[in-house]
Amino acid sequence: MTVRAWAELLRISALFTVPGDALAGAASVGRRPNSSTALAVGASLCLYEAGMALNDWADRDEDAVDRPHRPIPSGRISPRAALTAAGALTGAGLALAARAGRPALAVATGLAATVWAYDLRLKHTPAGPAAMAAARGLDLLLGATATGAAPAPRTARAALTAAALLSTHTYAVTAVSRHETQGGSTTAPLAALAAVAGIGGAVAHEGRAPARLLPTALTGAYLHTAARPLAHAALNPSPPLTQRAVGSGIRAMIPLQAALAARAGAAGSALAVMGLVPLARALSRKVSPT
């Protein structure tokens, strides 16, 4: 077992798409990030990586045919080690969430259950994209519930709206990812392209004056990252272009999270999230996020 193999198994280049969930969640309820937000970020990272390890464990037979280079089928990591890592990371994530309070633990428990259900049961069913979308939405709500006291109804609705927008993006990218090994689908990338356009319009339109310029600029970065690769995949649904669209869709979560934070008035959090973009881009050249 090598560091490289574990980096591939855990898809560490996609890790940079996780902290923005909690920061956008905190911003959506009008709270500044605090120590509990940091705990939510830690819990999110652990649960995300648990899902990555569990995903490869569950797909080890399929990957032996379609992706023999992956760490488990190539023999670089044993199935037992991957499953053990998934269990340990899940436990660590729940422990961190518990330190942020009971509401955060309740959301984290739902998130962990969704991750395990997706990897073990739902991934290859029609409910798969919805389960993945629910996991991302819950991750944002984890940041919202961990950061402070129970929000007022208005801010609670704002958090749910932000979670719904992030979930919609996740659903669209997950639907495209179901074709990344064999390609052949123009419908999924076209539908995802429409969803991305709709999300961009919703985020930019609802930015709070007089600070609408930053949400609009960040929304532009989101559209630039996600839309062009999806258009290419729709025109030529080959496996390489479909995989590129999925990878770009994953990275596009960062500017989307930043735009969600900015429209809630948290410019500092938005800029901090955007600071993760070059790191994610650089690492994705070495370790694929898909």
Side-chain angles (χ1 to χ4, degrees), residues 184-264:
S185 172
T186 59
T187 302
L190 279 175
L193 190 59
V196 164
I199 293 167
V203 175
H205 176 72
E206 294 182 14
R208 294 178 182 174
R212 189 170 291 178
L213 181 60
L214 182 58
T216 300
L218 293 173
T219 300
Y222 162 65
L223 293 173
H224 176 75
T225 304
R228 187 175 179 181
L230 285 170
H232 288 168
L235 292 171
N236 179 11
S238 64
L241 288 182
T242 302
Q243 290 167 15
R244 185 178 301 171
V246 173
S248 295
I250 293 172
R251 290 192 299 275
M253 289 181 185
I254 300 177
L256 176 56
Q257 294 156 347
L260 290 172
R263 78 167 190 162

Side-chain angles (χ1 to χ4, degrees), residues 165-214:
L165 290 169
L166 184 59
S167 294
T168 300
H169 175 83
T170 304
Y171 185 102
V173 174
T174 304
V176 176
S177 74
R178 295 164 80 94
H179 306 279
E180 64 181 334
T181 58
Q182 297 179 339
S185 172
T186 59
T187 302
L190 279 175
L193 190 59
V196 164
I199 293 167
V203 175
H205 176 72
E206 294 182 14
R208 294 178 182 174
R212 189 170 291 178
L213 181 60
L214 182 58

